[in-house]
């Protein structure tokens, strides 16, 4: 399902570069095996000589984009860490501006249940590792991953199929997103149930159940996994969180914070994952 031709050229392009104090931020893109270009930021520390550096791959929450973790990646550059931040495939889907609000809601739901986009997400992440390992500045044995919400849910699947990543940080992800869609009273879950006919709803989520992160995170070893959850989360309840961490292979750690789903103002969580990544990646 997540197999692709690794011999395909990355065809990565640099569109612009912003020189900052001690590091550079490059606006780049690379080819997705599923079609199109993957927009990304590549953040590289300056003045590190020829020593290969550790790297971290980031995937944003559903409410965000590749810019979501950019401030954090810039702070990691001061620690001598390269970062690659990509846009998820759903951000590259065109939503017509000429449709009514109701028609746009239908279009949005259809995108949310498109299995191919979720598969492409994982493949695009694997391709991002291909890109990182192709760079002379990166130590291929010291690559980490940080994903939040959407990035943590599909990061769990990614952890089960990608063995070149040494450490995963998964922030507020679903262990079983299909269960959430079936049982949650959240307005987003209600919208999906209202728009999809019952028979189609059952068919779609029966197919997507095989992609629930709980089936993959058990295969993350030998990589280490750090889970970060919050107590005031409108999406991830404690049952989902506990199932996710319990299903993971070891070594694993779990940390809880007093914040909302977006970890608003939670500097403690960023400090914890920074220190944990520095320890895991060296």
């Amino acid at each position: 399902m997540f197999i692709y031709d690794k011999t395909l050229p990355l065809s990565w392009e640099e569109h612009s570069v912003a020189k900052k104090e001690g590091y550079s931020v490059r606006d780049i893109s690379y080819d997705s095996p599923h079609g199109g270009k993957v927009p990304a930021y590549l953040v590289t520390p300056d003045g590190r000589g020829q020593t290969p550096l550790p790297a971290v791959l980031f995937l944003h929450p559903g409410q965000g984009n590749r810019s979501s973790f950019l401030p954090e990646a810039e702070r990691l550059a001061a620690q001598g860490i390269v970062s690659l931040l990509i846009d998820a495939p759903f951000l590259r889907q065109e939503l017509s501006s000429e449709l009514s609000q109701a028609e746009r809601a239908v279009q949005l739901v259809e995108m949310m249940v498109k299995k191919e986009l979720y598969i492409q997400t994982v493949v695009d992440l694997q391709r991002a590792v291909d890109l990182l390992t192709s760079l002379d500045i990166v130590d291929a044995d010291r690559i980490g991953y940080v994903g939040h919400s959407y990035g943590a849910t599909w990061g769990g699947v990614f952890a089960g199929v990608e063995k070149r990543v040494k450490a995963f940080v998964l922030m507020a992800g679903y262990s079983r997103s299909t269960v959430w869609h079936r049982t949650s009273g959240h307005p987003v879950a209600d919208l999906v149930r209202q728009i999809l006919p019952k028979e189609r709803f059952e068919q779609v989520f029966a197919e997507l159940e095989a992609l629930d992160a709980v089936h993959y995170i058990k295969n993350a070893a030998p990589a280490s996994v750090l889970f970060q959850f919050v107590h005031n989360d409108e999406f991830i309840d404690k049952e989902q969180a506990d199932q996710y961490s319990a299903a993971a292979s070891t070594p694993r750690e779990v940390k809880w914070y007093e914040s909302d789903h977006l970890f608003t103002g939670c500097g403690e969580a960023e400090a914890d994952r920074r220190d944990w990544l520095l320890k895991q990646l060296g």
Side-chain angles (χ1 to χ4, degrees), residues 62-73:
Q63 301 91 331
N65 55 40
R66 59 181 170 143
S67 297
S68 298
F69 278 109
L70 186 54
E72 185 166 335

Side-chain angles (χ1 to χ4, degrees), residues 9-10 22 60 82 99 101 119 147 151-152 156 161 225 271:
L10 283 161
H60 55 81
V82 176
L99 299 178
Q101 184 174 357
I119 294 172
V161 299
V225 183

Side-chain angles (χ1 to χ4, degrees):
M1 192 185 314
F2 304 111
I3 296 173
Y4 63 97
D5 185 355
K6 293 182 181 292
T7 67
L8 290 171
L10 283 161
S11 302
W12 76 281
E13 304 172 7
E14 182 179 300
H15 306 292
S16 66
V17 56
K19 296 285 188 180
K20 305 293 184 75
E21 186 176 352
Y23 63 94
S24 299
V25 179
R26 290 174 168 80
D27 180 2
I28 70 167
S29 62
Y30 61 92
D31 284 357
S32 169
H34 286 248
K37 304 288 285 190
V38 182
Y41 289 124
L42 178 64
V43 182
T44 55
D46 296 338
R48 294 283 172 169
Q50 300 302 312
T51 303
L53 303 175
V56 176
L57 171 61
F58 287 92
L59 184 59
H60 55 81
Q63 301 91 331
N65 55 40
R66 59 181 170 143
S67 297
S68 298
F69 278 109
L70 186 54
E72 185 166 335
E74 292 178 304
R75 288 187 283 271
L76 285 178
Q79 304 290 330
I81 293 179
V82 176
S83 293
L84 182 62
L85 310 91
I86 76 168
D87 269 352
F90 72 82
L91 291 176
R92 311 198 290 277
Q93 302 296 298
E94 293 186 7
L95 295 176
S96 175
S97 59
E98 299 179 359
L99 299 178
S100 68
Q101 184 174 357
E103 289 171 329
R104 282 176 62 83
V106 171
Q107 194 175 31
L108 180 62
V109 168
E110 288 294 339
M111 185 177 68
M112 288 174 60
V113 299
K114 194 172 182 180
K115 182 179 180 180
E116 292 77 14
L117 282 181
Y118 296 132
I119 294 172
Q120 183 174 0
T121 298
V122 178
V123 171
D124 285 355
L125 288 171
Q126 291 177 278
R127 202 60 169 150
V129 179
D130 292 344
L131 193 157
L132 284 172
T133 57
S134 75
L135 302 176
D136 291 339
I137 194 176
V138 171
D139 184 343
D141 294 325
R142 294 191 291 162
I143 295 176
Y145 173 85
V146 176
H148 181 186
S149 189
Y150 182 94
T153 301
W154 298 103
V157 180
F158 176 54
V161 299
E162 178 55 73
K163 295 305 178 185
R164 293 172 294 177
V165 177
K166 186 176 182 180
F168 292 85
V169 181
L170 305 178
M171 305 165 56
Y174 291 106
S175 57
R176 297 181 181 271
S177 60
T178 55
V179 171
W180 182 84
H181 277 286
R182 286 192 173 100
T183 62
S184 174
H186 192 279
V188 173
D190 283 339
L191 178 66
V192 175
R193 292 193 294 264
Q194 289 167 13
I195 287 178
L196 292 182
K198 183 173 177 58
E199 184 176 342
R200 173 124 191 277
F201 178 93
E202 292 301 330
Q203 177 187 358
V204 164
F205 285 98
E207 292 179 359
L208 288 176
E209 195 278 335
L211 290 177
D212 278 342
V214 72
H215 304 306
Y216 296 86
I217 194 64
K218 62 185 179 181
N219 297 320
S224 302
V225 183
L226 171 63
F227 291 95
Q228 293 187 311
F229 297 109
V230 293
H231 292 291
N232 187 27
D233 197 319
E234 64 175 305
F235 294 99
I236 311 299
D237 59 25
K238 192 171 188 306
E239 182 177 3
Q240 282 269 0
D242 288 346
Q243 283 182 349
Y244 208 172
S245 58
S249 56
T250 56
R252 64 176 183 255
E253 295 181 38
V254 184
K255 290 183 178 291
W256 286 84
Y257 304 89
E258 295 295 338
S259 188
D260 57 18
H261 180 69
L262 294 179
F263 287 72
T264 304
C266 193
E268 180 187 358
E270 179 181 340
D272 283 349
R273 59 182 171 268
R274 178 198 64 220
D275 293 345
W276 188 83
L277 285 166
L278 287 171
K279 178 181 177 182
Q280 298 297 321
L281 302 180

